[in-house]
Amino acid sequence: MPKTVKIDKLIKEYTATPKDKAEYEQGKARLMAAYKFMKAREDAGLTQRELATALGKKLDISLT
C-alpha cells in the first residue's frame, strides 16, 4: 500500500528555497484568481460561451 503524505509536508519540501516559495505563491494566487472568476461566472448564471460573447470574444476550446 502506498505511503500517504500530508499536503503541508509536500508544500514545505517543495518550497524550501525563496525562489521555489515565490513560484508556489504566484501559482497559488493565479489558481485562486481563476477559481474566483469561475465562481463569479457561475453565480451570474453564465456559461463560458455566454461570457465570451458578452465580452465580444470567441470561445476557443481546442482539445488537440
Side-chain angles (χ1 to χ4, degrees):
M1 182 166 270
K3 180 182 172 188
T4 59
V5 180
K6 301 246 183 216
I7 190 71
D8 293 338
K9 182 178 179 188
L10 287 174
I11 292 170
K12 186 175 181 179
E13 285 178 23
Y14 287 102
T15 59
T17 69
K19 181 183 178 218
D20 291 339
K21 183 158 182 67
E23 289 176 0
Y24 168 79
E25 292 298 333
Q26 185 179 39
K28 183 177 168 184
R30 286 180 178 164
L31 183 60
M32 288 306 300
Y35 172 77
K36 288 178 182 180
F37 189 82
M38 179 197 70
K39 185 78 172 114
R41 176 187 56 78
E42 289 176 347
D43 289 348
L46 296 172
T47 65
Q48 289 180 339
R49 188 171 310 281
E50 291 167 334
L51 178 60
T53 300
L55 295 172
K57 302 290 181 179
K58 180 180 175 192
L59 184 62
D60 184 20
I61 299 177
S62 175
L63 299 176
T64 59

